[in-house]
Amino acid sequence: MSIFMTLRIALKALGRNKMRTALTMLGMIIGVAAVIAMVALGSGAQAQIEEQIKQSGTNLIMVMPGNFSSGGVRMGGGNAVTLKTEDATALRDVPGVQYVSATTQTRVQVVAGNQNWSTNVQGVDVDFPNIRLWTVKFGSWFGDQDVRGASKVIVLGSSVANTLFGEGVDPTGQIIRVKNQPFTVVGVMGPKGQSSTGQDQDDTAFAPYTTIMKKLSGNQNIGGISVSTASADDVLEATEKVKQVLRERHKIGPGMEDDFTARTLEDMAATRTEMTRTMTSLLASIAGVSLLVGGIGIMNIMLVSVTERTREIGLRLAIGARGRDVLLQFLVEAVVISMFGGGIGIGLGYGLSWAVRTFMEWPALVPLNSVFVAVGFAAIVGVFFGFYPARKAASLDPIEALRFE
Amino acid sequence: MAQQPVISVRNLTRNYQLGEVTVRALRGVSFDVQPGEFISITGPSGSGKSTFMHLIGCLDKPTSGEYFLDGKDVAKASKDELALVRNQKIGFVFQGFNLLKRTTALDNVELPLLYNPKSGLKAADRHKKAMEVLAAVKMSDRHHHLPNQLSGGQQQRVAIARALVTNPSILLADEPTGALDTRTSVEVMGIFQRLNKELGITVMVITHEMDIAEYGTRFVRFRDGKVVVDQAITKRRNAEDELAALPPPEVDPEPAGAHAGGH
């Protein structure tokens, strides 16, 4: 019997029990839809992280004091374990490096009139907006003299400006009090939105790092150095050179570990992407369990069907069906259920992802390969769970089967 | 008769193992069937007539002995070979009709052709062949009816058409009238007689009713796994004449709703 005929017979048999077929399919539909929706959620989160990295610049190198990778064990005394402003200055001459900014930060209460707000004031250099690709909305960024003279000027993040002065108001020229010292607002940054970890990147303010160190925190050392290269292609090479320069400056001999950490933003994001990916696989495997349960449902129904149709099987054997014809017939029925269910499940999965994207504003994304995997898996489930009932049907004794009541 | 026998069995035995006990269902049967014969097989239950029928029908294999069907040794054939033999050389008719539910008469009759691995008949040819045999049992006007729209006698006629569709060497009928009333039984036996006479089809009917057995040409009686009587039937009944003599049916044998579906 041709496979086409077998398929037609299977469709006919399934059509005779529409309700049962539909309910059995439902198991597969839910399973496949769950897998696709879960993978979509995970991939969406991953894509969002990647997008954010692209936006914040793939040419960034962050230098932090201390070595996070040495398991918390610091090197012995005598070595420079902190970053100094001179380190930042030295990095300007590294080939490939375009912009450098020393960074430091302190958490302070800012007061304007009767409004006050606790925020993170970042001490940075003139080139900081160029590094972060961040533009000023009102007023302007501070200049070189402000950094050299440790002027009390401040550029507000848009959230802080909105809180202190109200939405859309240009506060340039106003005086605000930071730790009881008067600072002149020279600008407001454009909105940047949430970071990939969910923080409001606009809840911040910027002042020259010299001002922070001398007037606010009193720190002698800087908190870090932000470096950007002219192009993303240079970033790995430049990172190596930055490390080399800092090792020389900190007199770290060969074989000794760095007392600082220089990482590209991509490195840092990779860790988080990895986490998201783990989460995605976890969700997908949980959804996969429902696919498995759907498969067991198919096996259950096929076993019932074989028992119910024992006489039919007996008749088919009597008129010349071979064992393999009967086996194929029932196997095809199982695969048809699982494939049809899988197909509808894909549609439902897409629908769910769309709903999540639209109503929950989560960037759910259905990767094409997850569709193929789901369909393939559905087919395998059909064959796997259909085989046992089909073999049971094929191995029936025609005499016994014909006598079956 | 110089013709080669359709069926030739020699010392056929069949033992069943029931736990520790060996049941000797058939204890050495030798038997020839010539083409065109109409054989009635009777015997009490447990006499071995069903076992014999299953062996002749290639549904089962003998424990020992020889079985030639159309001159071909099938006693030691494999399962798949037996399936092929059943498909091409044997037509089964059962007591319970065994038509596929929710499947038209035509599709039911075509079913054996689908399992014929080498025929490769096109759909149109299958329809044509099925319609031919439906005409032979006078059911061509009902070919689109579903089994539940047909009376018992009509269902059995469709089942006979299904048995005929592959041009088998022999028609095996196991209690074909067991589920039918007297009048319908005569009708069905009349069809067997007509096919036997007009088309020369070899028929073997198993029954435990003596009056049904008398429609045949040869009478065989089983007891304790052996043939105890094997003789020609002298006073043969003629179904066609009897049917004409019977009073017309009191109620329309066609169940309500027969015309509701179908076309």
Side-chain angles (χ1 to χ4, degrees), chain B residues 134-148:
Chain B
L134 275 171
V137 297
K138 304 209 162 94
M139 284 295 289
S140 31
D141 55 332
R142 302 265 155 92
H143 69 277
H144 262 111
H145 287 209
L146 301 177
N148 59 1

Side-chain angles (χ1 to χ4, degrees), chain A residues 243-401:
Chain A
K243 282 183 184 168
Q244 216 174 324
V245 169
L246 290 177
R247 280 174 75 89
E248 271 168 33
R249 287 188 56 82
H250 294 186
K251 302 189 172 56
I252 299 167
M256 289 171 72
E257 287 202 56
D258 295 346
D259 61 353
F260 60 88
T261 309
R263 301 172 73 189
T264 64
L265 204 61
E266 261 176 306
D267 284 341
M268 293 156 77
T271 318
R272 229 169 25 234
T273 313
E274 192 52 45
M275 250 169 60
T276 322
R277 194 170 296 152
T278 311
M279 200 65 200
T280 309
S281 343
L282 187 71
L283 286 172
S285 11
I286 293 171
V289 170
S290 63
L291 206 55
L292 201 69
V293 174
I296 294 170
I298 291 182
M299 176 145 82
N300 192 10
I301 281 304
M302 292 311 294
L303 281 173
V304 171
S305 180
V306 168
T307 308
E308 239 180 32
R309 288 153 68 189
T310 301
R311 276 176 79 96
E312 179 194 321
I313 295 164
L315 172 83
R316 285 181 188 274
L317 291 170
I319 62 171
R322 291 163 301 176
R324 79 183 84 135
D325 293 323
V326 174
L327 181 99
L328 205 62
Q329 182 189 340
F330 280 86
L331 205 53
V332 166
E333 276 184 36
V335 172
V336 164
I337 290 183
S338 67
M339 292 295 278
F340 263 76
I344 299 170
I346 290 170
L348 189 65
Y350 264 102
L352 279 176
S353 318
W354 175 84
V356 165
R357 200 161 51 228
T358 313
F359 300 115
M360 292 166 70
E361 289 173 4
W362 182 289
L365 191 84
V366 182
L368 203 60
N369 59 4
S370 80
V371 172
F372 290 124
V373 168
V375 171
F377 205 66
I380 291 169
V381 163
V383 171
F384 184 81
F385 287 104
F387 188 77
Y388 174 69
R391 210 193 50 182
K392 202 181 153 193
S395 61
L396 282 175
D397 175 30
I399 299 169
E400 296 291 323

Side-chain angles (χ1 to χ4, degrees), chain A residues 1 5 9 12 16 311-312 315-322 324-325 329 398-399 402-403, chain B residues 54 59-60 80 83 86-87 92 94 96 98 100-103 107 111-112 114-115 126 162:
Chain A
M1 182 178 281
M5 275 327 277
I9 287 176
K12 233 177 201 173
R16 274 181 220 140
R311 276 176 79 96
E312 179 194 321
L315 172 83
R316 285 181 188 274
L317 291 170
I319 62 171
R322 291 163 301 176
R324 79 183 84 135
D325 293 323
Q329 182 189 340
I399 299 169
L402 281 167
R403 273 196 200 130
Chain B
H54 293 145
L59 290 166
D60 198 5
D80 280 359
R86 289 198 294 269
N87 182 251
F92 285 101
F94 305 95
N98 280 328
L100 293 191
K101 282 181 287 180
R102 294 183 226 191
T103 305
D107 282 349
L111 199 60
L114 299 181
Y115 286 112
R126 285 199 304 267
R162 180 181 61 197

Side-chain angles (χ1 to χ4, degrees), chain B residues 172-186:
Chain B
L172 283 184
D174 189 1
E175 302 273 4
T177 60
L180 303 173
D181 61 36
T182 312
R183 187 190 167 84
T184 323
S185 297
V186 177

Side-chain angles (χ1 to χ4, degrees), chain A residues 25-35 287 290-291 341 345 348:
Chain A
M25 253 182 216
L26 195 60
M28 289 308 293
I29 294 171
I30 292 174
V32 169
V35 168
S290 63
L291 206 55
L348 189 65

